[in-house]
Amino acid sequence: MYAIVEIAGQQFKVEKGRTLYTHRLEGEANAELVLDKVLLVDNGGVISVGAPTVEGASVKATIIEHLKGEKVIVFKKKRRKGYVKKNGHRQYLTKIQIDEIAA
């Protein structure tokens, strides 16, 4: 059984027991999340597609930790002009674990 869920503006395929990284979410570590924006549910070959969401479906997850991702380098250059700009950042992420899919 799996579901397609929208979390913080991005779509993820989730299954029970799977961990994934999303953009920073509200809540402390070990807090429970209920994700209501379920777009699709596959329950053993029976597929339910929402318009835009599936009625009565939800996904329960637990926040494991908040962390920062790997460094992303942003490099800009204009040739023959002497313009070079190097910058970088680390994205704030949240690691969550999927506990249950209720359809």
Side-chain angles (χ1 to χ4, degrees):
M1 178 176 203
Y2 72 89
I4 306 293
V5 181
E6 183 177 330
I7 305 169
Q10 293 182 320
Q11 295 178 7
F12 294 94
K13 179 180 177 181
V14 297
E15 298 171 346
K16 184 178 178 183
R18 183 175 176 183
T19 61
L20 49 107
Y21 296 93
T22 65
H23 290 298
R24 183 62 59 99
L25 299 174
E26 296 292 325
E28 297 295 322
N30 299 323
E32 294 246 336
L33 283 175
V34 177
L35 307 169
D36 294 330
K37 291 187 179 181
V38 180
L39 306 175
L40 180 139
V41 175
D42 181 3
N43 191 358
V46 179
I47 297 175
S48 302
V49 179
T53 59
V54 178
E55 290 291 326
S58 65
V59 174
K60 291 184 181 177
T62 304
I63 295 175
I64 297 174
E65 64 177 330
H66 296 292
L67 60 140
K68 291 171 86 173
E70 293 188 15
K71 188 156 195 172
V72 177
I73 303 296
V74 180
F75 183 74
K76 298 179 181 181
K77 179 181 179 179
K78 295 188 179 180
R79 64 185 199 159
R80 297 188 300 269
K81 304 297 181 201
Y83 174 78
V84 175
K85 184 73 83 171
K86 184 177 179 184
N87 210 337
H89 70 280
R90 294 178 68 187
Q91 195 71 31
Y92 292 105
L93 301 174
T94 299
K95 183 177 180 181
I96 63 173
Q97 181 172 9
I98 306 302
D99 297 330
E100 180 184 347
I101 300 173

